[in-house]
Amino acid sequence: MERDQDQKRTVRSHKLRQNWTWICRDLSCVALCVALSVLCLGVCVVVLVRASELQSRVESLEQQQRDARVSSAWSVSLEQVEPVLLSRLDQILDEKLAARLPKTREVREAPHSCLCPPEPDMFVSGAVKNGL
């Protein structure tokens, strides 16, 4: 009887050791999976941070390039546009001055009794010669 109890205890302890072995194996597998998951999440966070840093660097470089284009375009165009603007301004001023200055009228060679509208010089000079 004692022997049976010893055997039962031995079997129980053996089963208990097997259970602990399986539990330890299961826990080690779970711990390994959790560690790999945490490692993967860490890698994902690092990649996300690097990608956002690169994106911000690209945006800042694009902005600098746009600013450089605009500033260089304005500096070159100002040098080129200034003579064009000045010539156009002179032309407009000449037109305005010509419109506001008093116009000189040329005297026709027609008798004072003639009330006909002015004609081209060729006909007027012929009419005057003919006495009309």
Side-chain angles (χ1 to χ4, degrees), residues 40-56:
C40 287
L41 285 174
V43 169
C44 288
V45 167
V46 168
V47 168
L48 181 67
V49 168
R50 293 284 297 179
S52 66
E53 288 174 359
L54 287 174
Q55 182 66 29
S56 65

Side-chain angles (χ1 to χ4, degrees), residues 5-19:
Q5 286 179 352
D6 285 339
Q7 280 182 344
K8 285 182 183 180
R9 284 183 199 160
T10 306
V11 170
R12 281 185 200 164
S13 67
H14 185 64
K15 284 185 180 180
L16 190 58
R17 283 183 199 154
Q18 281 183 339
N19 287 342

Side-chain angles (χ1 to χ4, degrees), residues 21 31 34-35 37 59 70 74 77 116 130 132:
T21 305
V34 168
S37 297
E59 288 174 358
V70 168
W74 279 106
S77 66
C116 59
N130 292 336
L132 292 176

Side-chain angles (χ1 to χ4, degrees), residues 108-111 114 116 119-132:
R108 295 190 298 161
E109 294 180 15
C114 178
C116 59
E119 295 183 19
D121 290 337
M122 179 174 72
F123 297 115
V124 171
S125 62
V128 171
K129 288 180 185 175
N130 292 336
L132 292 176

Side-chain angles (χ1 to χ4, degrees), residues 58-78:
V58 166
E59 288 174 358
S60 68
L61 287 173
E62 287 175 347
Q63 183 65 34
Q64 288 175 355
Q65 190 175 17
R66 271 187 256 132
D67 292 344
R69 282 185 189 165
V70 168
S71 65
S72 67
W74 279 106
S75 65
V76 171
S77 66
L78 285 177

